[in-house]
Amino acid sequence: MIVLNVSILKETLRGFFMKKSISLIAAFIILIIGCLTLTACDPNRIHLKQEELSDIVSVELVKYDNSKQKRFFSWIPDHSSDLKPFDDSKLSVLETLPVDKIPQFIDTLCECDIFSNYYAYDSPNGICFKLSYSNGDFLIVNGKDYIGKFSSDGEVAEFIGCLSNSNFFKTLVNNYFRANVDD
């Protein structure tokens, strides 16, 4: 009788440790896959190039009133077909940068890291920079959420991404314009 109980105990313990080992191995595999997935999906970092901005004729601090801005669930798939055109009726100019300050502003803007093709939102909203080209096309830089080039008729010409650091946007506003951004 005692021998039988020891055998049962051994089998029970063996089954317990076997299940525990399988659970630990599964947890370890999930952890490895999770780490690889989360680190492998970091968006590419780029900078705006001086030559791409050499034809800028004006820089404005604007407010774009877009209550229908939509946040994408994930930035990974290509959302270019979901991007919304720019609606001039939602735009109000807060301040225009003096022409002699544009080159310095562009130099500073080109220093900022941008998450390339990082789709966070379908359109800009709130305080933005509007950089206008001589042909009427324009670039919108919206806080940390949206950087895109639009044709003169408001159609999306190119989605660039978003700033990697919203503090950089605030610093640009506070250093180049009379208006201040606190939040």
Side-chain angles (χ1 to χ4, degrees):
M1 187 81 151
I2 293 176
V3 173
L4 183 60
N5 287 340
V6 171
S7 308
I8 293 172
L9 183 59
K10 281 183 178 179
E11 286 301 315
T12 304
L13 288 175
R14 187 175 303 153
F16 173 76
F17 286 118
M18 185 70 126
K19 288 179 186 174
K20 193 77 160 168
S21 296
I22 291 172
S23 296
L24 286 173
I25 291 170
F28 182 71
I29 290 171
I30 290 170
L31 178 69
I32 295 291
I33 290 171
C35 288
L36 289 174
T37 301
L38 293 175
T39 57
C41 294
D42 189 26
N44 185 31
R45 290 177 188 237
I46 62 168
H47 294 92
L48 293 173
K49 293 182 175 61
Q50 294 280 346
E51 52 273 8
E52 294 171 355
L53 303 176
S54 63
D55 195 27
I56 296 294
V57 294
S58 73
V59 176
E60 298 169 310
L61 184 66
V62 299
K63 182 171 183 188
Y64 191 67
D65 229 351
N66 182 12
S67 60
K68 294 184 180 178
Q69 181 189 47
K70 183 181 126 197
R71 182 175 178 84
F72 295 120
F73 174 72
S74 169
W75 65 269
I76 296 171
D78 180 4
H79 292 288
S80 57
S81 63
D82 298 322
L83 298 174
K84 303 295 181 213
F86 196 84
D87 182 354
D88 267 343
S89 69
K90 298 178 179 181
L91 178 77
S92 57
V93 177
L94 303 175
E95 191 175 339
T96 302
L97 189 68
V99 175
D100 62 320
K101 302 259 187 207
I102 292 175
Q104 184 181 3
F105 176 86
I106 289 173
D107 287 345
T108 307
L109 182 61
C110 289
E111 294 171 7
C112 184
D113 282 339
I114 295 170
F115 288 141
S116 175
N117 292 313
Y118 185 92
Y119 295 92
Y121 293 92
D122 66 344
S123 53
N125 185 33
I127 304 297
C128 308
F129 298 125
K130 181 181 180 190
L131 291 80
S132 299
Y133 293 89
S134 62
N135 67 356
D137 293 352
F138 56 96
L139 181 73
I140 293 292
V141 179
N142 171 226
K144 188 181 174 188
D145 304 330
Y146 191 98
I147 301 174
K149 187 175 180 181
F150 295 86
S151 60
S152 58
D153 64 356
E155 290 301 315
V156 177
E158 176 187 9
F159 178 75
I160 297 169
C162 65
L163 294 176
S164 65
N165 183 345
S166 61
N167 289 329
F168 191 87
F169 180 81
K170 293 174 199 170
T171 300
L172 276 172
V173 172
N174 296 339
N175 288 346
Y176 288 94
F177 295 91
R178 288 182 304 242
N180 281 335
V181 177
D182 295 324
D183 53 353

